Amino acid sequence: MESIAKLTGVSKEFPNGRGISGVNLVLNKGDIYGLLGPNGAGKTTLLKMLTGLISPSFGSLSLFGQELEQAFAANMRKVGCMIESADFYDYVTAGQYLKLNAVFYPELSPKRIDEVLEAVDLAAYARDKIRHFSTGMKQKLAMASSILHHPEFVIWDEPTNGLDIEGVVHFRALVKQLSAEQGITFLISSHMIHELEQLCNRVGILHQGVLVREGYVHELLTDNTSLEQYYISVLEQGKELMDNGRPDSRT
């Protein structure tokens, strides 16, 4: 299978002692990969390293078969991301905001802005100023921006924050459509575990900076009624090992 991203023994150490440790992970073309873990487990740190926002302390990281530092600009043009809260110019409209982003991709068709607004269910608000948008609408606009340039690999950090029930259902349908029709690979960090269970083919669980479990959803659920049940059992096992002074380093 074609590898889109590969992390080998990746660690990031921060002065406060947090970070991630020895992460080994391969994302293949077409994967919809869900990243789970408690607050502070290192999920956003991992996502930031994949986009070059921060550098690993140890280990190697590659995108599209090349080390991250090699052909960085060219490879990042194939990546769309939404990490933490997006910043907006509140005085522009949704359409104007995407037009500003499109300046970096001169090959895009002028119709592309309308296409992505339609895709995230914001077409009716193209001429509305962003300052009037709810949190969920801003989240949709950030998603639209991240897929504007036809990326091959999309990284989303808590994409369902602020979305109502209808928005979450639409989000799930959008990811499945983009994966099936365009072969886009997704890495999605979320606390919406029920959504990831329905959406992802693979998941990984980070606990105190360690990728303690990862695999195909249907295999992980063989002896569990839900992904939530499996997740809680993994964290309880990890906590027990930590309490006993033994780090849980299983992958």
Side-chain angles (χ1 to χ4, degrees):
M1 299 180 70
E2 181 183 348
S3 171
I4 297 298
K6 183 177 182 180
L7 290 79
T8 305
V10 169
S11 299
K12 180 64 180 180
E13 298 178 350
F14 292 107
N16 62 6
R18 293 182 179 176
I20 63 174
S21 177
V23 172
N24 296 301
L25 176 64
V26 177
L27 298 180
N28 297 313
K29 184 174 178 60
D31 271 341
I32 304 177
Y33 193 101
L35 191 61
L36 295 165
N39 293 331
K43 301 185 299 298
T44 299
T45 296
L46 190 152
L47 301 187
K48 285 184 175 180
M49 283 196 291
L50 277 167
T51 54
L53 293 175
I54 58 177
S55 300
S57 302
F58 306 100
S60 65
L61 196 159
S62 64
L63 285 177
F64 306 103
Q66 296 178 302
E67 290 295 318
L68 190 62
E69 295 80 6
Q70 299 175 2
F72 178 78
N75 280 331
M76 287 308 299
R77 288 179 69 85
K78 303 176 187 179
V79 178
C81 65
M82 178 179 68
I83 298 178
E84 296 185 322
S85 300
D87 292 324
F88 297 98
Y89 302 111
D90 285 349
Y91 54 86
V92 301
T93 67
Q96 289 170 336
Y97 174 77
L98 292 178
K99 189 174 181 179
L100 288 171
N101 287 309
V103 169
F104 297 100
Y105 308 99
E107 72 279 5
L108 288 180
S109 164
K111 296 180 180 180
R112 182 58 181 166
I113 291 175
D114 294 331
E115 291 174 357
V116 294
L117 285 173
E118 181 70 31
V120 300
D121 199 27
L122 280 182
Y125 304 94
R127 297 185 180 181
D128 289 13
K129 291 189 176 180
I130 298 173
R131 67 168 174 262
H132 301 304
F133 280 17
S134 66
T135 300
M137 293 171 70
K138 289 181 178 179
Q139 198 77 341
K140 291 179 181 180
L141 184 57
M143 282 190 265
S145 177
S146 70
I147 62 173
L148 179 66
H149 55 295
H150 300 285
E152 297 178 31
F153 180 30
V154 170
I155 301 170
W156 281 342
D157 188 12
E158 298 292 347
T160 55
N161 277 355
L163 298 184
D164 56 21
I165 295 175
E166 184 180 8
V168 171
V169 172
H170 186 89
F171 158 78
R172 191 194 316 145
L174 173 64
V175 173
K176 290 182 177 180
Q177 178 185 1
L178 293 175
S179 175
E181 296 180 2
Q182 300 180 29
I184 295 176
T185 302
F186 286 89
L187 175 58
I188 302 172
S189 169
S190 177
H191 288 104
M192 299 286 285
I193 195 166
H194 296 294
E195 287 302 316
L196 294 186
E197 181 175 345
Q198 296 180 69
L199 181 60
C200 299
N201 67 316
R202 296 172 62 204
V203 297
I205 301 175
L206 275 172
H207 178 62
Q208 296 192 13
V210 177
L211 187 64
V212 291
R213 298 285 176 85
E214 77 97 26
Y216 289 92
V217 172
H218 70 275
E219 294 177 349
L220 300 179
L221 295 184
T222 301
D223 299 318
N224 297 273
T225 59
S226 68
L227 186 58
E228 181 180 77
Q229 181 190 52
Y230 178 79
Y231 171 76
I232 294 299
S233 69
V234 169
L235 292 191
E236 288 176 347
Q237 293 169 24
K239 184 177 185 301
E240 181 179 347
L241 287 171
M242 293 294 180
D243 290 343
N244 291 332
R246 293 181 294 147
D248 188 350
S249 58
R250 291 166 297 174
T251 57

